[in-house]
């Protein structure tokens, strides 16, 4: 929320893998936000999101997010060129061999002004007293340490006009970092040829 609040452009937002709509509902009350697409493949989660969004009607300062059935694996033209696209705790639920294709579609086809990706920091699992092979959720296909995440983020934008900044979220423990890692990809203005 803090990162989004500081962005110069945040009028049009896509919350990919929006689940039960918690983040979308919080953003719906943020000044300057005009539309939010809450994209989720799970019908069950979408129903919960719709119920959550209905409660926003009592707030005069809130917009109503648009729930949308969708998936990272199917391109949807109406989500192209938005100010912000968010994948909050989503990528670790995607098979690793499919992830490069998903990210390529985002940076070359959807082309958001800013792309925010969060994912668990595997190094921090030791702070939680988890064993090396254990993951934080049964549906996680992988969890990366900080250097693995950085390497992937840099690979995803090799041929795309984006820069990336990495941050942590949550309490920092020396040697382990923070529980969640976040990449903020910012689309560079393309230079006109002379």
């Amino acid at each position: 929320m803090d990162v989004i609040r500081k962005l110069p452009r945040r009028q049009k937002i896509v919350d990919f893998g929006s689940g039960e709509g918690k983040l979308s509902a919080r953003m719906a009350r943020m000044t300057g936000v005009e539309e939010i697409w809450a994209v989720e493949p799970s019908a069950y989660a979408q129903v919960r999101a719709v119920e959550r969004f209905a409660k926003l009607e009592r707030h005069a300062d809130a917009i109503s997010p648009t729930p949308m059935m969708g998936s990272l694996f199917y391109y949807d033209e109406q989500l192209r060129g938005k100010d912000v696209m968010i994948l909050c705790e989503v990528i670790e639920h995607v098979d690793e061999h499919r992830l490069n294709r998903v990210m390529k579609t985002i940076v070359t086809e959807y082309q958001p002004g800013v792309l925010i990706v969060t994912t668990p920091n595997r190094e921090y699992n030791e702070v939680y007293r988890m064993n090396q092979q254990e993951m934080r959720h049964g549906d996680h296909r992988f969890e990366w340490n900080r250097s693995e995440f950085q390497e992937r983020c840099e690979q995803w934008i090799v041929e795309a006009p984006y820069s990336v900044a990495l941050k942590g979220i949550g309490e920092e423990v020396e040697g382990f970092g923070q529980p969640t890692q976040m990449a903020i990809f910012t689309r560079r203005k393309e230079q006109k040829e002379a």
Side-chain angles (χ1 to χ4, degrees):
M1 289 293 290
D2 292 339
V3 169
I4 297 161
R5 206 173 275 116
K6 291 174 187 167
L7 294 175
R9 293 191 52 80
R10 60 176 180 276
Q11 288 86 346
K12 300 176 181 194
I13 299 175
V14 177
D15 183 4
F16 241 127
S18 57
E20 296 180 4
K22 292 176 187 172
L23 179 60
S24 289
R26 289 182 66 200
M27 291 188 297
R29 299 186 66 194
M30 187 182 289
T31 307
V33 175
E34 296 171 3
E35 67 180 49
I36 300 169
W37 296 78
V39 184
E40 172 59 39
S42 162
Y44 173 78
Q46 269 296 6
V47 167
R48 301 291 301 269
V50 168
E51 292 167 357
R52 187 180 308 275
F53 299 158
K55 294 175 185 170
L56 288 169
E57 292 174 13
R58 65 178 89 132
H59 299 284
D61 63 340
I63 65 161
S64 183
T66 303
M68 178 178 180
M69 291 294 284
S71 165
L72 287 166
F73 304 115
Y74 302 102
Y75 177 73
D76 191 324
E77 179 69 29
Q78 45 189 339
L79 303 177
R80 190 174 198 276
K82 303 300 184 195
D83 299 318
V84 184
M85 183 173 279
I86 302 162
L87 279 69
C88 182
E89 305 297 300
V90 170
I91 64 168
E92 63 274 8
H93 296 273
V94 175
D95 289 327
E96 215 173 330
H97 71 275
R98 300 179 81 184
L99 195 52
N100 287 344
R101 179 70 207 134
V102 164
M103 295 307 291
K104 184 172 184 178
T105 298
I106 290 172
V107 299
T108 64
E109 301 293 329
Y110 286 124
Q111 301 178 354
V114 172
L115 168 65
I116 299 170
V117 178
T118 70
T119 192
N121 168 16
R122 188 180 75 221
E123 293 162 85
Y124 205 88
N125 291 354
E126 204 170 315
V127 176
Y128 294 139
R129 303 200 188 303
M130 296 168 64
N131 71 44
Q132 291 283 351
Q133 275 56 48
E134 201 175 354
M135 292 199 220
R136 293 189 203 170
H137 188 279
D139 187 53
H140 286 185
R141 308 305 207 274
F142 61 87
E143 289 178 1
W144 289 329
N145 65 33
R146 290 171 289 173
S147 62
E148 289 169 328
F149 185 51
Q150 178 178 350
E151 187 179 317
R152 285 302 185 101
C153 289
E154 289 168 359
Q155 285 174 3
W156 293 331
I157 58 171
V158 165
E159 296 178 12
Y162 284 85
S163 59
V164 64
L166 298 169
K167 296 179 181 274
I169 300 173
E171 183 183 347
E172 187 165 4
V173 173
E174 192 174 341
F176 301 100
Q178 293 163 275
T180 300
Q181 43 195 340
M182 173 171 51
I184 304 160
F185 299 88
T186 304
R187 188 168 172 79
R188 297 188 300 268
K189 302 281 185 257
E190 297 194 48
Q191 304 294 323
K192 299 218 187 284
E193 291 187 31

